[in-house]
Amino acid sequence: MDEFASNYIPLINKCITELLEKKMKKDNEVVKAYYEKIMEYVLAGGKRARPIALLVSYIGSGGEDVDRAVRASISVELLHNSSLVHDDIMDESETRRGLPALHVQYERWFREMASDKFSPPRNSGISLGILGGDSLLELGIEAILESGFPEKATTRSIEEYIIAYRRLIEGQLLDMYLSGLTMPSVEQIIEMLKLKTGALYAASLKIGAILAGREDLLDDLEELGFMIGIAFQIRDDILGLFGDPRKTGKPVDSDIKQGKRTILVTKAYEVLSEDKARKLISLLGKKDLTDDELEFVRNAVIESGALSFSQLMAEEYMERCKDLIDELEMRDDQKELLKEIAERAVRRDK
Amino acid sequence: MDEFASNYIPLINKCITELLEKKMKKDNEVVKAYYEKIMEYVLAGGKRARPIALLVSYIGSGGEDVDRAVRASISVELLHNSSLVHDDIMDESETRRGLPALHVQYERWFREMASDKFSPPRNSGISLGILGGDSLLELGIEAILESGFPEKATTRSIEEYIIAYRRLIEGQLLDMYLSGLTMPSVEQIIEMLKLKTGALYAASLKIGAILAGREDLLDDLEELGFMIGIAFQIRDDILGLFGDPRKTGKPVDSDIKQGKRTILVTKAYEVLSEDKARKLISLLGKKDLTDDELEFVRNAVIESGALSFSQLMAEEYMERCKDLIDELEMRDDQKELLKEIAERAVRRDK
């Protein structure tokens, strides 16, 4: 996997750079700078998990035009980034990958341009951030359109891209709704994770197979994508609360401050004594959370068994992924890579 | 034109309803209600100018499968609505078509759901509004994908849809930037209007011709669309300041309160005495604008000749549109309708 990734990540990044640089060839300095910030934002991310999944699926499905596939693969990365940008606005998150969120960068940019001839409009950051997320979404479709595959494969890929987009939106809607509930059920959370994270893995794997002409694989790949995404996100929530911020690029109190309803807190809430459960609830969404309060939450999650429950659940998804991969009629070397993807989703520490 | 419109508007609205109702067939009540609000929002608009332009272009280009064309035509209406929803968030506009803006409706919806088990997250309205605009964008692409045209026509139409979307975004970016400038030039405003309003008319006309297999018309139709859009928007700004709010659904002070840099105020600024020009600038963007201040702006725009300059400019675009239409190799009856579209853009009062 490391070898595969280190072969392809530079090619993926090159395609992203080329697509954005084309947009930056404008007479208008404002438009140019606007796209430049988008490019820097996307290039700051590094793992490219979704394009890699698309490429493994493409090659595993017998696809041979890898240049074109790389060009198409950036679509799912751009869509992912689009959703991150809009999510950060909705969640009022100021940082992403240890750097300022895109809307924060845009806010600064407009502020820096201030002069006696220009005073930045109110809410510049949020407004530009909404546009930035919109641009990333359309750039993803451009990537598919310009990848050079025949029309049928192009149309079908766009269809999957749009289905994923719709699911991402519905997932984010449910996430917002669940975060307003006192405490949702584990099932509600899983349904949300499937849409919010699983759908894009599903689309990545499916687009890979579509571009290779293997429509017969789609149902299995969709299920696989959903499961990888759910497992990935459960692990993400664990890292959010217990990970090393230097590795994750995310402070350990941010999910709690945001009031995120994860399986960790839901499960802890179920098990804790009434007093402690009430205290837990009162801390979710508390913007001025103290260190002691954070420690209370972390201990509650550990002592209630919610931490091991979550990790176990992720591991179970991983096992189901592996079983499903065994059944797939795909190239064996790529099936091994798919298994590694599933494994890393639940065992990574960043 | 009236006959054409009254024939097709019900069919267009039916397609919009069907597409949204399909999305509402969900087990999840929250997702269902979310789409229901989108449907109501889109159906509250009435003129369907962009789908009508697409259909006139399609029929004028010799297209004969009008059922399919109607299904595809709603794409440009949905894209238009997507941009309205996001624009209203950015401009902090609370109303649209005399009704609450979508993000305001969403805010209320979440507030009404409040109970001892659900407390709406902060910024629900804006967050849901961002999602709503995102959904409308993807629904437009779904409309093209599901219209039933051959793959090549589908792919090319999506391409034009995406180009229009990119231009809308860049236009909104420039609009934000210009509204921060003390006073932009008329040229800067025209460039912005071309992107923000012209691009979608251009795409509507082009998609009509693409679906009818007439790629030879595209360059002319693009130019025509840009000009209709610019003319339409100049008239829109006039109606914004001088129209009858009962007809336009928009209070006459809202553009001034928003600090919108229109040709009206730019041109007035150029001509007014230094004192009056300074006063004009100070009133642009003033949220608590008084009636007297509004009257000052309206008088300044009339006395400086900016009002007649703007209307004349719109009429000139209309004349250029008519000349261009005369040259087009399209069906004569539809060319007459195109001329009527250009005429109404600059002579309407709502």
Side-chain angles (χ1 to χ4, degrees):
Chain A
M1 190 72 235
D2 287 327
E3 202 192 326
F4 188 94
S6 60
N7 277 340
Y8 283 104
I9 288 177
L11 300 176
I12 292 166
N13 288 341
K14 190 166 156 270
C15 283
I16 293 171
T17 310
E18 280 170 7
L19 183 65
L20 263 309
E21 277 181 347
K22 238 191 313 181
K23 296 287 161 277
M24 284 159 57
K25 280 194 192 113
K26 300 266 172 177
D27 294 334
N28 193 303
E29 290 303 317
V30 175
V31 178
K32 208 166 144 177
Y34 164 82
Y35 282 117
E36 199 174 2
K37 301 242 172 291
I38 292 179
M39 186 172 78
E40 288 166 7
Y41 178 82
V42 180
L43 291 176
K47 286 180 289 183
R48 310 293 176 225
R50 293 157 191 83
I52 294 284
L54 188 153
L55 291 169
V56 169
S57 168
Y58 177 75
I59 296 167
S61 305
E64 288 177 344
D65 195 338
V66 181
D67 281 354
R68 282 183 176 167
V70 171
R71 282 204 291 278
S73 78
I74 66 170
S75 61
V76 287
E77 183 69 24
L78 294 167
L79 174 49
H80 173 55
N81 277 269
S82 169
S83 75
L84 296 181
V85 170
H86 282 181
D87 285 6
D88 282 345
I89 297 173
M90 298 181 212
D91 299 339
E92 302 181 74
S93 301
E94 303 276 304
T95 59
R96 173 66 66 178
R97 306 165 181 140
L99 294 172
L102 186 61
H103 67 279
V104 176
Q105 296 194 37
Y106 273 144
E107 180 91 47
R108 289 184 191 165
W109 169 46
F110 257 40
R111 221 168 36 221
E112 280 160 15
M113 280 203 293
S115 71
D116 56 344
K117 281 184 188 128
F118 180 73
S119 41
R122 278 156 48 92
N123 288 323
S124 301
I126 289 175
S127 300
L128 292 164
I130 294 175
L131 292 179
D134 290 350
S135 283
L136 282 159
L137 185 275
E138 75 84 4
L139 288 164
I141 298 178
E142 279 194 44
I144 298 175
L145 285 168
E146 291 176 11
S147 62
F149 282 97
E151 270 133 14
K152 189 177 172 194
T154 303
T155 311
R156 283 285 298 114
S157 300
I158 292 174
E159 216 162 340
E160 291 301 331
Y161 182 97
I162 288 298
I163 292 172
Y165 186 42
R166 174 165 54 72
R167 287 173 171 161
L168 284 177
I169 295 167
E170 292 174 2
Q172 175 68 6
L173 166 66
L174 290 182
D175 197 10
M176 278 185 61
Y177 174 71
L178 298 186
S179 75
L181 287 180
T182 312
M183 205 50 97
S185 67
V186 171
E187 290 68 33
Q188 281 178 305
I189 296 175
I190 294 287
E191 177 60 21
M192 180 272 287
L193 298 183
K194 183 175 150 182
L195 293 167
K196 199 175 159 170
T197 313
L200 192 44
Y201 277 98
S204 303
L205 296 173
K206 287 169 85 180
I207 292 174
I210 287 167
L211 295 177
R214 289 289 304 276
E215 296 263 338
D216 60 301
L217 293 168
L218 298 187
D219 289 346
D220 283 339
L221 290 178
E222 174 156 298
E223 201 189 331
L224 181 60
F226 282 147
M227 291 197 297
I228 290 177
I230 294 169
F232 178 94
Q233 195 57 45
I234 295 174
R235 181 70 189 163
D236 212 59
D237 290 338
I238 294 174
L239 292 174
L241 194 54
F242 296 99
D244 178 349
R246 286 166 303 181
K247 290 183 182 168
T248 61
K250 186 177 159 180
V252 278
D253 57 2
S254 69
D255 283 356
I256 304 299
K257 284 184 178 172
Q258 237 176 67
K260 221 171 148 181
R261 265 56 178 172
T262 61
I263 295 179
L264 294 169
V265 294
T266 303
K267 212 59 203 173
Y269 178 79
E270 275 179 18
V271 175
L272 289 174
S273 69
E274 206 178 307
D275 270 9
K276 285 192 169 178
R278 207 178 302 121
K279 181 165 177 191
L280 176 67
I281 287 288
S282 75
L283 298 178
L284 295 180
K286 189 164 183 280
K287 299 285 167 204
D288 54 350
L289 195 78
T290 66
D291 286 352
D292 282 351
E293 288 167 341
L294 175 64
E295 272 321 292
F296 170 84
V297 176
R298 303 210 310 178
N299 281 329
V301 167
I302 295 170
E303 284 163 18
S304 63
L307 174 59
S308 32
F309 174 86
S310 286
Q311 183 62 30
L312 202 67
M313 200 167 176
E315 305 257 346
E316 270 169 27
Y317 273 106
M318 179 190 76
E319 292 303 334
R320 282 169 58 196
C321 285
K322 287 185 178 174
D323 292 344
L324 205 162
I325 293 164
D326 277 329
E327 304 291 313
L328 291 174
E329 281 184 39
M330 292 175 87
R331 268 174 54 173
D332 284 334
D333 54 347
Q334 305 300 308
K335 280 164 72 167
E336 286 311 308
L337 292 180
L338 285 177
K339 285 185 191 174
E340 273 191 61
I341 290 175
E343 223 162 71
R344 293 211 178 177
V346 307
R347 300 228 170 115
R348 69 208 161 86
D349 58 4
K350 60 179 177 180
Chain B
M1 190 74 235
D2 287 327
E3 202 192 325
F4 188 95
S6 60
N7 276 339
Y8 285 105
I9 289 176
L11 301 176
I12 292 166
N13 288 341
K14 189 165 156 271
C15 283
I16 292 171
T17 309
E18 279 171 8
L19 182 65
L20 264 308
E21 278 182 347
K22 241 192 311 184
K23 297 286 161 278
M24 285 160 57
K25 281 194 192 115
K26 301 266 172 177
D27 294 335
N28 193 303
E29 290 302 317
V30 175
V31 177
K32 208 165 142 176
Y34 164 82
Y35 282 117
E36 199 174 2
K37 302 243 173 288
I38 292 179
M39 186 172 78
E40 288 166 5
Y41 179 81
V42 180
L43 291 177
K47 286 180 290 183
R48 311 293 177 225
R50 293 156 191 84
I52 294 285
L54 188 153
L55 290 169
V56 170
S57 168
Y58 177 76
I59 296 167
S61 304
E64 289 177 344
D65 196 339
V66 181
D67 281 354
R68 282 183 175 168
V70 171
R71 283 204 292 277
S73 78
I74 66 169
S75 62
V76 287
E77 183 68 25
L78 294 166
L79 175 49
H80 173 56
N81 278 269
S82 169
S83 76
L84 295 181
V85 170
H86 282 181
D87 285 4
D88 282 344
I89 297 173
M90 298 181 211
D91 299 339
E92 304 181 73
S93 301
E94 304 275 304
T95 58
R96 173 66 68 178
R97 306 165 181 139
L99 294 171
L102 185 62
H103 67 279
V104 176
Q105 296 193 37
Y106 275 143
E107 180 91 48
R108 289 184 191 164
W109 170 45
F110 258 40
R111 220 166 40 219
E112 279 160 16
M113 280 203 292
S115 70
D116 56 344
K117 280 181 189 132
F118 179 72
S119 42
R122 277 155 47 91
N123 286 324
S124 301
I126 288 175
S127 299
L128 292 164
I130 294 175
L131 292 179
D134 290 351
S135 283
L136 282 159
L137 185 274
E138 75 85 4
L139 288 165
I141 299 179
E142 280 193 44
I144 298 175
L145 285 168
E146 291 176 10
S147 62
F149 282 97
E151 271 134 14
K152 191 177 169 195
T154 303
T155 311
R156 283 284 298 114
S157 299
I158 292 175
E159 215 161 339
E160 291 300 332
Y161 183 96
I162 287 299
I163 291 173
Y165 186 42
R166 173 165 55 72
R167 287 174 171 162
L168 283 178
I169 295 168
E170 293 174 2
Q172 175 69 5
L173 166 66
L174 290 183
D175 197 10
M176 278 187 60
Y177 173 71
L178 298 187
S179 75
L181 287 180
T182 311
M183 204 49 95
S185 67
V186 172
E187 290 68 33
Q188 281 178 307
I189 296 175
I190 295 286
E191 177 60 22
M192 179 272 286
L193 298 182
K194 183 176 152 182
L195 293 166
K196 199 174 160 172
T197 313
L200 191 45
Y201 277 98
S204 303
L205 296 173
K206 287 169 84 180
I207 292 173
I210 287 167
L211 296 177
R214 289 289 304 276
E215 296 264 337
D216 59 301
L217 293 170
L218 299 187
D219 289 345
D220 284 339
L221 290 178
E222 174 156 298
E223 202 189 329
L224 181 60
F226 283 147
M227 292 196 296
I228 291 177
I230 294 169
F232 178 93
Q233 196 57 46
I234 294 174
R235 180 71 189 165
D236 213 58
D237 291 338
I238 293 173
L239 292 174
L241 194 53
F242 297 99
D244 177 350
R246 287 166 302 181
K247 289 183 182 167
T248 62
K250 186 177 159 182
V252 278
D253 57 1
S254 68
D255 283 354
I256 304 300
K257 284 184 176 171
Q258 238 176 64
K260 220 170 149 183
R261 263 56 179 172
T262 60
I263 295 180
L264 293 169
V265 295
T266 303
K267 212 58 203 172
Y269 178 79
E270 275 179 18
V271 174
L272 289 174
S273 68
E274 207 177 308
D275 270 10
K276 284 192 170 176
R278 207 178 302 120
K279 181 165 176 191
L280 176 66
I281 288 289
S282 74
L283 298 177
L284 296 179
K286 191 162 182 280
K287 300 285 166 203
D288 55 351
L289 196 78
T290 66
D291 286 352
D292 282 350
E293 288 166 341
L294 174 64
E295 271 321 291
F296 170 83
V297 176
R298 304 209 312 179
N299 281 329
V301 166
I302 295 170
E303 285 164 18
S304 63
L307 174 59
S308 32
F309 175 87
S310 287
Q311 183 62 31
L312 202 66
M313 201 168 176
E315 305 257 347
E316 270 168 27
Y317 274 106
M318 179 190 77
E319 292 304 333
R320 284 169 57 195
C321 285
K322 287 186 178 174
D323 291 344
L324 206 161
I325 294 164
D326 277 330
E327 304 292 313
L328 292 173
E329 282 183 39
M330 293 176 85
R331 266 173 57 173
D332 285 333
D333 55 346
Q334 305 302 305
K335 281 165 70 168
E336 285 312 308
L337 292 181
L338 285 177
K339 285 185 191 175
E340 273 191 63
I341 290 175
E343 224 161 72
R344 293 209 179 178
V346 307
R347 301 229 170 116
R348 68 209 163 86
D349 57 4
K350 58 180 178 184

